[in-house]
Amino acid sequence: QVQLVESGGGLVQAGGSLRLSCAASGRTFSPYDMGWFRQAPGKEREFVGHIIWSSGKTYYGASVTGRFTISRDSAKNTGYLQMNSLKPEDTAVYYCAYRAYASNAFGSWGQGTQVTVSS
């Protein structure tokens, strides 16, 4: 029902910034929240943060708190992940995910976008 398309990944030097976008499309878009996750090769998937769609309230994982900011543009059905003060350990594939009010789990995922931070 909902398709997510991510963009904005790339190569950046340590200390730099990137902004990822997650555009949702489909006939039905009634989100409870949109989440962001990341996974590096050989590592487990890590929770980055999420945003409650109706209120805009955000929550973050400990490793990114104070550096990353999640936001959304409801009119565009698009979420954003602003990443500042990037570190080499932030290198990973980043995924956005969608959870509908009717669901108690994330049911739609983006294709992933590579973020590489060089030292």
Side-chain angles (χ1 to χ4, degrees):
Q1 290 291 321
V2 176
Q3 181 181 4
L4 305 179
V5 178
E6 297 176 62
S7 61
L11 175 65
V12 65
Q13 292 184 330
S17 299
L18 284 174
R19 188 175 78 157
L20 306 184
S21 298
C22 179
S25 62
R27 285 186 170 272
T28 302
F29 185 70
S30 300
Y32 171 71
D33 64 344
M34 179 179 286
W36 291 89
F37 302 82
R38 66 186 184 184
Q39 188 166 25
K43 306 292 184 181
E44 294 184 346
R45 185 178 65 189
E46 179 185 13
F47 172 75
V48 174
H50 76 144
I51 183 166
I52 308 300
W53 205 260
S54 61
S55 67
K57 292 183 178 179
T58 55
Y59 302 86
Y60 301 94
S63 64
V64 306
T65 296
R67 299 187 298 121
F68 291 11
T69 302
I70 296 171
S71 61
R72 87 293 197 234
D73 186 336
S74 296
K76 296 181 178 180
N77 293 343
T78 300
Y80 303 95
L81 176 64
Q82 177 69 46
M83 303 183 292
N84 299 323
S85 301
L86 283 162
K87 306 174 182 179
E89 50 263 44
D90 294 319
T91 296
V93 176
Y94 284 71
Y95 300 90
C96 62
Y98 164 88
R99 174 161 53 190
Y101 276 104
S103 177
N104 56 15
F106 291 104
S108 298
W109 293 78
Q111 81 282 3
T113 185
Q114 177 70 47
V115 172
T116 302
V117 184
S118 64
S119 60

